[in-house]
Amino acid sequence: MSGDAVHREARPRVSRRDFLESAALGAASGLVGSLIGPSTLAAAAPQALAHDPSYGQPTLLEVTFSELAEGMETGRWTARTLVEEYLDAIDRFDRRGPALNAILELNPDALDIADALDDERHTKGPRGPLHGLPILLKDNIGTADRLHTSAGSLALADSFAPRDAHVVERLRAAGAIVLGKANMSEWSNARGRGAIGGWSGRGRLTRNPYALDRSAGGSSSGTAAAVAANLATAAIGTETLGSIMTPAALCGLVGIKPTVGLVGRSGIIPVSYTQDTPGPMCRTVRDAAMLLSVMAGPDPRDKATTEGSIRRVADYTTFLDPNGLRGARIGIARNLFGSSLLADRVIERALDAMRDAGAVLVDNANVENAEVLWSIDAEVLSFELKASLNEYLASLGAKSPVKSLRDLIAFNERNSDRELLWFGQETFQYAESKGDLSSPAYIEALGTVRQLARKNGIDAALARHQVDALIAPTASPAWLIDLLLGDNAEIGPALVSAAAGYPSITVPAGDVQGLPVGMIFIGTAWSEPTLLKYAYGFEQTVRARRAPTFVPSIPLRP
């Protein structure tokens, strides 16, 4: 039915390591693995892998925003009891038990904030559906409180953000509680060749709750693992190059990478001016749409959110239709298949379900020039990494131990026994060698990337086949952790939408031996309403989300 052999040959055969080495830049890449701390290889097998995982499940298992809001309205829960339940789950499943190591740091003021929000609910009523709900943040998202903001790096282990990131301001205004910071691939996996996703110098390794010896992806690894394991209501990740899409897919979640400019980015440790964006990571499409509704808005400190014809919607849940696939014209981007034969088979079954639900699927709606895009985009990101990091680090003030990318490289060299034991910082060094953003080489590369990814890529495919979205497998199933060789994965279709700055949504589509497989929906700029309609219809059709059971390993039977 799928013609796997043909389609695998048609797909660009570019491994993640090839991509990193070709331009010495990983730039927040999403298809990443995992690494343990810098002790010994014997320490690579945690105690959790040595015994039967009889941990049970967290108390707040698979609860949604709407269920929690209703429960708080009826008095079943309060903001305090929710925080207490999640803190207990983090202790039992993240610190002990399966030892996911998804949470880097907990908010010491969370219970006090919860009490204040409970009082406010009693005296004034709730601010909205997120009132009193605990949310986790990726560790590159700034908070002006007692939580550090470090991008997982030892260089910023003692750093406090001077102000809330814009997205945090919006979350707090909606009544959400910042429960803590999640571990991540250090510097959004933009430091060096052979980088191991889900590992940071400060936090060490995050593990996948579906199989503890497999990757949770990256760079939003901790956010994905925590939400998948029901350790928080939801979380905010960030993406430059698949860093929401891939960990969400590997951990059985819904992830949204919005159009660049829909959600404010100020206060977030950056990689790229043209591709960075925060986005929701949730267990359901409805929760993700609710969270996006709160996050989206103009940011006076981020000109990308105030320029052009940005099309924001006050409530993205209005587009959720359980019959959203009926009559939908969607293109199957076959040349973005092929990262995993087994994942492709899962997607084929999901395609049959979509047809049964009334979708009109146009086959071979391929995105042209995808193979050429890889290396040129890496060149763009190398310029932007240097410029954006220099700007951010300089903003931290005199007390910061690093004030530039050059300082950061020197810090890592001085602390190589802790930071550089498993992989280096070649991508940092390559970026440092670049000029500024007025360089003709940068301007030419950026123009080429936008032409290939937008006009001649996604937009051309949509117009040529008269479809409103493109679909493909988001990524392969989670790969085994490999301390010495690094990630065993290919760049997925998320690169195309990331390079374009266009939106994408991943939704659970099925599983391989219990390992989740996601379907990615890709659209043109500001097409979040359409993608959400299709993603919700798909979710309600296949209903593939399953809570993890924290097994030590997946038994592979020939």
Side-chain angles (χ1 to χ4, degrees), residues 320-335:
L320 305 185
D321 179 357
N323 299 311
L325 291 178
R326 187 174 298 163
R329 287 187 59 85
I330 301 173
I332 306 171
R334 288 288 180 187
N335 68 327

Side-chain angles (χ1 to χ4, degrees), residues 253-522:
L253 295 181
V254 175
I256 300 178
K257 185 204 83 74
T259 307
V260 173
L262 187 70
V263 179
R265 304 172 298 173
S266 66
I268 297 175
I269 299 177
V271 172
S272 165
Y273 292 111
T274 58
Q275 293 182 202
D276 287 351
T277 181
M281 302 180 76
C282 303
R283 291 182 292 272
T284 70
V285 174
R286 180 171 295 278
D287 282 1
M290 292 172 69
L291 198 49
L292 182 63
S293 300
V294 170
M295 296 169 64
D299 178 353
R301 301 185 299 279
D302 178 7
K303 66 179 182 179
T305 69
T306 58
E307 293 181 340
S309 56
I310 298 173
R311 289 177 249 159
R312 293 190 181 89
V313 175
D315 183 1
Y316 284 94
T317 66
T318 59
F319 300 98
L320 305 185
D321 179 357
N323 299 311
L325 291 178
R326 187 174 298 163
R329 287 187 59 85
I330 301 173
I332 306 171
R334 288 288 180 187
N335 68 327
L336 300 182
F337 282 55
S339 65
S340 164
L341 176 64
L342 299 179
D344 289 354
R345 289 173 178 169
V346 170
I347 297 302
E348 290 299 335
R349 293 192 292 272
L351 295 178
D352 288 341
M354 293 176 73
R355 293 185 184 98
D356 290 343
V360 178
L361 301 184
V362 180
D363 214 339
N364 294 308
N366 296 334
V367 179
E368 304 297 334
N369 305 305
E371 185 172 5
V372 180
L373 189 60
W374 312 131
S375 59
I376 304 173
D377 191 50
E379 192 70 5
V380 169
L381 296 180
S382 67
F383 280 93
E384 295 185 351
L385 175 64
K386 177 181 180 179
S388 62
L389 266 186
N390 280 344
E391 182 180 17
Y392 177 83
L393 294 172
S395 74
L396 296 179
K399 292 183 179 180
S400 176
V402 289
K403 300 175 179 61
S404 66
L405 178 57
R406 186 186 299 272
D407 289 349
L408 184 53
I409 292 170
F411 176 93
N412 290 336
E413 291 291 347
R414 291 193 304 272
N415 295 275
S416 60
D417 59 329
R418 296 185 293 164
E419 282 284 12
L420 305 181
L421 179 63
W422 296 106
F423 61 95
Q425 55 180 342
E426 299 88 352
T427 55
F428 272 2
Q429 292 164 332
Y430 184 73
E432 177 60 26
S433 74
K434 293 298 182 182
D436 60 29
L437 299 188
S438 65
S439 167
Y442 167 73
I443 295 170
E444 180 181 1
L446 178 60
T448 301
V449 164
R450 287 183 165 171
Q451 182 82 358
L452 292 176
R454 295 178 179 180
K455 182 178 179 181
N456 296 345
I458 293 171
D459 291 335
L462 295 173
R464 184 184 309 116
H465 300 282
Q466 299 180 16
V467 295
D468 297 315
L470 304 172
I471 52 176
T474 310
S476 70
W479 46 91
L480 287 167
I481 296 166
D482 192 327
L483 299 176
L484 298 182
L485 299 182
D487 299 334
N488 180 24
E490 292 182 355
I491 296 173
L495 179 135
V496 179
S497 56
Y502 286 178
S504 53
I505 302 177
T506 184
V507 184
D511 71 273
V512 174
Q513 295 282 311
L515 296 174
V517 172
M519 172 93 82
I520 190 170
F521 293 77
I522 298 172

Side-chain angles (χ1 to χ4, degrees), residues 1 14 44-45 169 250 323 363 380 435 440 496 526 534:
M1 182 192 335
V14 182
E169 292 176 351
L250 267 57
N323 299 311
D363 214 339
V380 169
V496 179
W526 321 117
Y534 295 166

